[in-house]
Tab-separated table of all heavy atoms in Angstrom:
chain	number	residue	atom	x	y	z
G	96	VAL	N	64.552	135.878	113.184
G	96	VAL	CA	63.359	136.553	113.716
G	96	VAL	C	62.928	137.655	112.762
G	96	VAL	O	61.733	137.772	112.472
G	96	VAL	CB	63.633	137.102	115.129
G	96	VAL	CG1	62.508	137.998	115.586
G	96	VAL	CG2	63.858	135.951	116.102
G	97	ALA	N	63.879	138.467	112.268
G	97	ALA	CA	63.538	139.540	111.359
G	97	ALA	C	62.930	139.037	110.064
G	97	ALA	O	61.961	139.634	109.548
G	97	ALA	CB	64.784	140.350	111.050
G	98	HIS	N	63.417	137.902	109.590
G	98	HIS	CA	62.870	137.326	108.347
G	98	HIS	C	61.411	136.860	108.584
G	98	HIS	O	60.515	137.166	107.768
G	98	HIS	CB	63.701	136.133	107.906
G	98	HIS	CG	63.222	135.393	106.713
G	98	HIS	ND1	63.276	135.913	105.445
G	98	HIS	CD2	62.572	134.229	106.613
G	98	HIS	CE1	62.712	135.080	104.611
G	98	HIS	NE2	62.251	134.030	105.299
G	99	VAL	N	61.178	136.188	109.643
G	99	VAL	CA	59.777	135.726	109.952
G	99	VAL	C	58.889	136.940	110.191
G	99	VAL	O	57.748	136.961	109.720
G	99	VAL	CB	59.789	134.783	111.169
G	99	VAL	CG1	58.363	134.429	111.592
G	99	VAL	CG2	60.555	133.530	110.838
G	100	HIS	N	59.413	137.955	110.819
G	100	HIS	CA	58.653	139.148	111.127
G	100	HIS	C	58.191	139.826	109.815
G	100	HIS	O	57.045	140.179	109.694
G	100	HIS	CB	59.490	140.104	111.957
G	100	HIS	CG	58.825	141.339	112.387
G	100	HIS	ND1	58.926	142.544	111.703
G	100	HIS	CD2	57.974	141.578	113.419
G	100	HIS	CE1	58.183	143.462	112.308
G	100	HIS	NE2	57.598	142.952	113.328
G	101	ARG	N	59.109	139.963	108.867
G	101	ARG	CA	58.765	140.556	107.585
G	101	ARG	C	57.661	139.767	106.861
G	101	ARG	O	56.744	140.335	106.323
G	101	ARG	CB	59.974	140.693	106.682
G	101	ARG	CG	60.921	141.803	107.107
G	101	ARG	CD	62.005	142.051	106.024
G	101	ARG	NE	62.835	140.915	105.794
G	101	ARG	CZ	63.927	140.569	106.526
G	101	ARG	NH1	64.311	141.315	107.518
G	101	ARG	NH2	64.651	139.484	106.169
G	102	ARG	N	57.784	138.455	106.884
G	102	ARG	CA	56.765	137.580	106.226
G	102	ARG	C	55.421	137.731	106.896
G	102	ARG	O	54.393	137.787	106.210
G	102	ARG	CB	57.220	136.124	106.290
G	102	ARG	CG	58.439	135.810	105.516
G	102	ARG	CD	58.127	135.956	103.966
G	102	ARG	NE	59.172	135.431	103.212
G	102	ARG	CZ	59.087	134.469	102.282
G	102	ARG	NH1	57.924	133.907	102.109
G	102	ARG	NH2	60.094	134.099	101.605
G	103	LEU	N	55.385	137.790	108.202
G	103	LEU	CA	54.113	137.942	108.906
G	103	LEU	C	53.482	139.283	108.664
G	103	LEU	O	52.277	139.383	108.502
G	103	LEU	CB	54.298	137.698	110.407
G	103	LEU	CG	54.470	136.200	110.785
G	103	LEU	CD1	54.906	136.077	112.259
G	103	LEU	CD2	53.193	135.418	110.584
G	104	CYS	N	54.298	140.334	108.574
G	104	CYS	CA	53.765	141.653	108.316
G	104	CYS	C	53.111	141.676	106.919
G	104	CYS	O	52.091	142.339	106.732
G	104	CYS	CB	54.898	142.722	108.376
G	104	CYS	SG	55.399	143.113	110.056
G	105	ALA	N	53.703	141.013	105.982
G	105	ALA	CA	53.150	140.957	104.640
G	105	ALA	C	51.860	140.130	104.605
G	105	ALA	O	50.893	140.467	103.887
G	105	ALA	CB	54.192	140.350	103.671
G	106	ALA	N	51.794	139.099	105.429
G	106	ALA	CA	50.646	138.197	105.404
G	106	ALA	C	49.413	138.789	106.182
G	106	ALA	O	48.317	138.524	105.771
G	106	ALA	CB	50.979	136.847	106.065
G	107	VAL	N	49.676	139.561	107.214
G	107	VAL	CA	48.590	140.162	107.984
G	107	VAL	C	48.866	141.646	108.202
G	107	VAL	O	49.146	142.092	109.319
G	107	VAL	CB	48.376	139.420	109.349
G	107	VAL	CG1	47.718	138.086	109.189
G	107	VAL	CG2	49.688	139.284	110.116
G	108	PRO	N	48.735	142.441	107.111
G	108	PRO	CA	49.173	143.847	107.191
G	108	PRO	C	48.346	144.715	108.114
G	108	PRO	O	48.796	145.761	108.578
G	108	PRO	CB	49.056	144.337	105.759
G	108	PRO	CG	48.092	143.392	105.089
G	108	PRO	CD	48.274	142.063	105.782
G	109	THR	N	47.110	144.293	108.435
G	109	THR	CA	46.285	145.127	109.315
G	109	THR	C	46.407	144.727	110.815
G	109	THR	O	45.702	145.324	111.649
G	109	THR	CB	44.780	145.049	108.895
G	109	THR	OG1	44.393	143.708	108.985
G	109	THR	CG2	44.640	145.558	107.467
G	110	TRP	N	47.187	143.758	111.111
G	110	TRP	CA	47.414	143.331	112.478
G	110	TRP	C	48.750	143.813	112.986
G	110	TRP	O	49.613	144.143	112.199
G	110	TRP	CB	47.359	141.812	112.575
G	110	TRP	CG	46.007	141.210	112.421
G	110	TRP	CD1	45.016	141.674	111.625
G	110	TRP	CD2	45.474	140.069	113.081
G	110	TRP	NE1	43.908	140.859	111.742
G	110	TRP	CE2	44.181	139.876	112.655
G	110	TRP	CE3	46.006	139.182	114.021
G	110	TRP	CZ2	43.376	138.836	113.073
G	110	TRP	CZ3	45.225	138.158	114.457
G	110	TRP	CH2	43.912	137.982	113.999
G	111	GLY	N	48.916	143.801	114.256
G	111	GLY	CA	50.208	144.148	114.856
G	111	GLY	C	51.094	142.906	114.917
G	111	GLY	O	50.714	141.862	115.355
G	112	VAL	N	52.303	143.055	114.373
G	112	VAL	CA	53.316	142.019	114.459
G	112	VAL	C	54.494	142.637	115.242
G	112	VAL	O	55.131	143.524	114.741
G	112	VAL	CB	53.763	141.544	113.065
G	112	VAL	CG1	54.793	140.446	113.185
G	112	VAL	CG2	52.540	141.037	112.257
G	113	HIS	N	54.705	142.120	116.444
G	113	HIS	CA	55.694	142.777	117.345
G	113	HIS	C	56.759	141.801	117.799
G	113	HIS	O	56.474	140.655	118.021
G	113	HIS	CB	54.955	143.334	118.548
G	113	HIS	CG	53.835	144.237	118.184
G	113	HIS	ND1	54.034	145.549	117.888
G	113	HIS	CD2	52.499	144.034	118.009
G	113	HIS	CE1	52.897	146.137	117.557
G	113	HIS	NE2	51.944	145.236	117.603
G	114	GLN	N	57.967	142.359	117.930
G	114	GLN	CA	59.076	141.586	118.462
G	114	GLN	C	59.244	141.905	119.953
G	114	GLN	O	59.219	143.074	120.290
G	114	GLN	CB	60.373	141.876	117.684
G	114	GLN	CG	60.338	141.395	116.284
G	114	GLN	CD	61.643	141.668	115.559
G	114	GLN	OE1	62.691	141.671	116.205
G	114	GLN	NE2	61.608	141.780	114.259
G	131	ILE	N	58.254	136.825	118.502
G	131	ILE	CA	57.226	137.542	117.709
G	131	ILE	C	55.864	137.298	118.314
G	131	ILE	O	55.569	136.170	118.693
G	131	ILE	CB	57.244	137.098	116.256
G	131	ILE	CG1	58.589	137.421	115.584
G	131	ILE	CG2	56.113	137.768	115.438
G	131	ILE	CD1	58.754	136.819	114.202
G	132	THR	N	55.056	138.353	118.359
G	132	THR	CA	53.664	138.212	118.812
G	132	THR	C	52.819	138.885	117.774
G	132	THR	O	53.075	140.007	117.346
G	132	THR	CB	53.451	138.863	120.139
G	132	THR	OG1	54.375	138.377	121.097
G	132	THR	CG2	52.030	138.663	120.664
G	133	VAL	N	51.773	138.160	117.292
G	133	VAL	CA	50.813	138.703	116.338
G	133	VAL	C	49.501	138.927	117.061
G	133	VAL	O	48.976	138.056	117.727
G	133	VAL	CB	50.581	137.767	115.133
G	133	VAL	CG1	49.546	138.325	114.175
G	133	VAL	CG2	51.934	137.432	114.435
G	136	GLU	N	45.164	144.818	116.226
G	136	GLU	CA	45.528	146.143	116.751
G	136	GLU	C	44.565	146.605	117.861
G	136	GLU	O	45.006	147.179	118.832
G	136	GLU	CB	45.521	147.205	115.612
G	136	GLU	CG	46.768	147.129	114.752
G	136	GLU	CD	48.046	147.415	115.509
G	136	GLU	OE1	48.073	148.212	116.454
G	136	GLU	OE2	49.107	146.867	115.085
G	154	LEU	N	48.885	134.763	117.640
G	154	LEU	CA	50.019	133.884	117.343
G	154	LEU	C	51.221	134.340	118.161
G	154	LEU	O	51.472	135.550	118.249
G	154	LEU	CB	50.371	133.895	115.858
G	154	LEU	CG	51.618	133.138	115.407
G	154	LEU	CD1	51.404	131.633	115.532
G	154	LEU	CD2	51.960	133.501	113.980
Side-chain angles (χ1 to χ4, degrees):
V96 171
H98 176 74
V99 173
H100 185 262
R101 285 190 301 274
R102 293 292 189 121
L103 285 169
C104 285
V107 286
T109 60
W110 286 36
V112 181
H113 304 277
Q114 293 183 27
I131 299 172
T132 305
V133 179
E136 284 296 330
L154 174 68

